[in-house]
Amino acid sequence: MTSSMLFNIATFSYLVSMLAFFTFLAVKSKHVGLAGSLAAYFGFIVHSAAILFRWKESYDIGMGHAPLSNLYESVVFFAWTIILIFGIIDLKYKYRVVGAFVVPFALLGMAWAQLGMDSGIQPLVPALQSNWLLYHVITCFLGYAAFAVACGISIMYLIKAGKDESAGSTQSGGIIAMFPSIKILDDLNYKAIIIGFPLLTLGIITGAAWANYAWGTYWSWDPKETWSLIVWFIYAAFLHARFTRGWVGKKAAILSIVGFAATIFCYLGVNLFLSGLHSYGGGG
């Protein structure tokens, strides 16, 4: 059994999970919703094993580093963190319908990695030969994953709010009836961001420490650094507006989606389209 085979099994499991959650929306069967969650959990376990196998494989060929060093490995890890954060929320609140709006993010990442990227294990460039790699990447991607979950929930909120407004005093039916109330969705959006924001903050701090170790300066206004600061300010503005001005509902949901779009550009757009000290992140 190789890591590539396990990654493929995990990808298929996420596909089954997504389809089950979509079916759950249509048939409103609790058993189908549970099946979606169980498929996601199974995929997560296999995914975890695949990451460990890939780590071992890097030692077997004499490279010996954590599988977080190139675009393929980071996308795979990002998908893993999304399912991790989703699983925590799913187990705590059991709003299965959220899976239909979050699991597709992980599935898209895994499908892209498995079908469109070079999965070969590559030696670390000098800048990555540090324990700060683990601290920085793990904290950043856990934060990104929380923002992905918040984005999925915010999309649900906007759909639900729009349907409720058009229905007036009449209770929404059909698929929308499966959604939690807009108050619950707004609260889940906030809770996901309150998880992600301190993790992103830690990611920026550990990144600065790593930059000083690798390049002799804590901050150099590299495009990646600049965009990470932009993302940080967007979510800081979200929390500030919520605490001081009572921003909830649509405004909060829209800002959450904007924040995740900025996050994706910070992660992928900068690496793929802009040159800088982090250009190695687009390799592989």
Side-chain angles (χ1 to χ4, degrees):
M1 184 70 72
T2 65
S3 62
S4 294
M5 293 174 62
L6 291 173
F7 282 133
N8 286 333
I9 293 171
T11 303
F12 181 75
S13 297
Y14 297 151
L15 173 62
V16 172
S17 175
M18 183 187 73
L19 293 176
F21 282 128
F22 286 168
T23 304
F24 172 59
L25 285 174
V27 303
K28 306 177 184 178
S29 167
K30 291 183 179 180
H31 297 297
V32 175
L34 177 61
S37 292
L38 292 177
Y41 300 156
F42 175 76
F44 177 79
I45 292 170
V46 175
H47 199 159
S48 302
I51 291 173
L52 293 176
F53 265 70
R54 186 175 175 89
W55 201 337
K56 178 182 179 297
E57 288 165 1
S58 76
Y59 276 92
D60 291 342
I61 61 177
M63 294 184 185
H65 60 77
L68 302 170
S69 62
N70 57 34
L71 186 60
Y72 171 83
E73 292 174 346
S74 70
V75 169
V76 163
F77 184 70
F78 187 22
W80 182 85
T81 58
I82 290 173
I83 298 298
L84 173 64
I85 299 296
F86 161 72
I88 292 171
I89 291 177
D90 186 53
L91 288 171
K92 184 174 178 61
Y93 299 105
K94 293 183 171 55
Y95 295 121
R96 309 287 189 204
V97 66
V98 172
F101 293 83
V102 173
V103 172
F105 288 138
L107 174 62
L108 285 173
M110 289 298 289
W112 181 34
Q114 301 313 307
L115 299 176
M117 294 186 192
D118 176 11
S119 63
I121 298 175
Q122 301 162 358
L124 288 177
V125 299
L128 296 179
Q129 295 173 8
S130 166
N131 287 332
W132 286 110
L133 170 68
L134 281 173
Y135 311 143
H136 174 62
V137 173
I138 289 174
T139 51
C140 276
F141 278 103
L142 285 171
Y144 290 174
F147 298 152
V149 172
C151 178
I153 292 169
S154 294
I155 292 170
M156 293 177 65
Y157 180 95
L158 294 177
I159 294 172
K160 175 80 170 177
K163 186 68 174 178
D164 286 352
E165 287 179 3
S166 64
S169 60
T170 305
Q171 187 174 5
S172 298
I175 291 175
I176 307 301
M178 302 291 293
F179 289 18
S181 69
I182 57 174
K183 185 178 185 303
I184 290 174
L185 290 171
D186 181 69
D187 186 54
L188 288 176
N189 179 35
Y190 164 72
K191 286 178 178 177
I193 290 175
I194 208 70
I195 291 171
F197 184 72
L199 287 166
L200 175 63
T201 303
L202 282 174
I204 292 174
I205 292 170
T206 54
W210 184 12
N212 185 59
Y213 171 85
W215 302 311
T217 177
Y218 287 100
W219 198 267
S220 58
W221 294 106
D222 176 76
K224 188 79 160 186
E225 296 170 349
T226 303
W227 269 95
S228 67
L229 192 59
I230 290 171
V231 172
W232 188 90
F233 274 119
I234 290 173
Y235 287 106
F238 175 98
L239 295 174
H240 175 75
R242 190 175 187 98
F243 292 147
T244 64
R245 303 183 65 87
W247 263 36
V248 295
K250 281 188 176 181
K251 291 180 180 179
I254 291 170
L255 190 56
S256 175
I257 294 170
V258 169
F260 184 61
T263 299
I264 290 299
F265 186 80
C266 175
Y267 167 43
L268 292 176
V270 171
N271 285 17
L272 297 175
F273 304 121
L274 301 177
S275 61
L277 295 172
H278 289 77
S279 295
Y280 54 77

